[in-house]
């Protein structure tokens, strides 16, 4: 029997699909093909996504190195560009100045820092900060007669008790003999023969070799 349909007979051929159905089927085929067979690799030329900016170092450690403080009876941490900024932190250490690392020679004064309570922002909450004034005067500079350290170039007066007091080299007042620290060495034996006074210093060279001066 001829399988062709005779005129007037109902066709068994399926009805054509609407266009939108054909499009959906084509899209499904493409997606299936993409999943089953890997295509060419496409490089992402947009570059890495920049990370969000981290927190500002200001305030992370109370009076950390490089921070600035205000002046007055109550010391506060302020932005270094603020008109209230008076001094900057050269170094920050735990403990006490007598037991902890020495401050840099340029230190004008030392602040004893204590931060407690729930608002403490770091483990570096107690200790001391080595400070230097943002503007002159700088009592910590050699020969200025101030500062927490005795350094080479400073002048001192000696007492009978074996103690010395730092004084300004340019100060013409006072009758006590004055000595100028000319050098610093590791041991007394390394001082020059004309050394008149040995002065205790801090750091890797703890012996100051001082000479008596009569010119002031």
């Amino acid at each position: 029997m001829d399988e062709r349909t005779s005129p007037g007979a109902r066709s068994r051929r399926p009805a054509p699909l609407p266009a939108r159905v054909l499009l959906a089927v084509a899209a499904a085929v493409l997606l299936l093909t993409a999943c089953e067979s890997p295509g060419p690799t496409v490089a992402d030329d947009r570059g890495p996504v920049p990370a969000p900016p981290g927190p500002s170092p200001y305030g992370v450690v109370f009076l950390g190195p490089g921070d600035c403080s205000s002046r007055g009876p109550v010391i506060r941490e302020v932005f270094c560009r603020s008109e209230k900024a008076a001094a900057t932190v050269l170094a920050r250490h735990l403990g006490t100045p007598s037991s902890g690392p020495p401050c840099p020679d340029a230190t004008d004064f030392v602040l004893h820092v204590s931060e407690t309570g729930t608002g403490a922002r770091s483990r570096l909450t107690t200790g001391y900060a080595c400070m230097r004034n943002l503007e002159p005067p700088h009592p910590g500079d050699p020969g200025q007669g101030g500062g927490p350290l005795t350094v080479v170039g400073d002048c001192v007066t000696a007492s009978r008790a074996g103690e010395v007091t730092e004084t300004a080299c340019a100060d013409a007042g006072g009758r006590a003999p004055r000595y100028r620290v000319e050098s610093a060495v590791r041991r007394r034996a390394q001082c020059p023969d004309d050394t008149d006074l040995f002065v205790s210093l801090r750091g890797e060279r703890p012996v100051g070799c001082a000479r008596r001066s009569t010119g002031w």
Side-chain angles (χ1 to χ4, degrees):
M1 181 178 179
D2 190 354
E3 294 181 354
R4 292 178 297 179
T5 58
S6 59
R10 185 174 297 178
S11 174
R12 296 181 181 179
R13 185 178 301 173
L17 296 175
R20 57 183 180 181
V21 176
L22 292 175
L23 291 176
V25 173
V29 173
L30 290 176
L31 289 176
L32 182 60
T33 304
C35 294
E36 293 178 349
S37 60
T41 302
V42 179
D44 187 356
D45 60 354
R46 293 174 298 175
V49 178
S56 170
Y58 171 77
V60 174
V61 174
F62 180 69
L63 289 182
D67 289 340
C68 291
S69 71
S70 63
R71 66 175 75 247
V74 179
I75 301 297
R76 301 183 184 278
E77 182 179 324
V78 296
F79 285 103
C80 290
R81 294 184 179 180
S82 169
E83 59 181 9
K84 297 181 180 180
T88 185
V89 181
L90 298 181
R92 177 82 148 80
H93 302 296
L94 293 172
T96 62
S98 59
S99 62
C103 285
D105 291 348
T107 301
D108 287 330
F109 62 97
V110 175
L111 283 179
H112 297 268
V113 180
S114 177
E115 187 183 13
T116 58
T118 57
R121 290 166 288 185
S122 74
R123 67 175 184 85
L124 195 62
T125 55
T126 58
Y128 56 99
C130 310
M131 310 295 296
R132 181 171 176 83
N133 295 327
L134 294 177
E135 297 180 356
H138 295 291
D141 286 352
Q144 296 304 306
L149 304 173
T150 300
V151 298
V152 174
D154 281 340
C155 293
V156 298
T157 59
S159 66
R160 294 181 180 179
E163 298 179 352
V164 296
T165 302
E166 187 175 336
T167 183
C169 292
D171 185 7
R175 297 181 180 180
R178 278 181 289 181
Y179 303 82
R180 179 185 174 92
V181 181
E182 301 290 347
S183 60
V185 295
R186 296 180 181 273
R187 300 183 303 273
R188 287 192 176 189
Q190 296 176 326
C191 283
D193 294 338
D194 58 354
T195 298
D196 297 315
L197 182 70
F198 301 102
V199 181
S200 295
L201 308 178
R202 297 202 63 189
E204 297 180 355
R205 298 181 178 182
V207 179
C209 313
R211 294 176 55 190
R212 184 169 180 173
S213 176
T214 58
W216 290 300

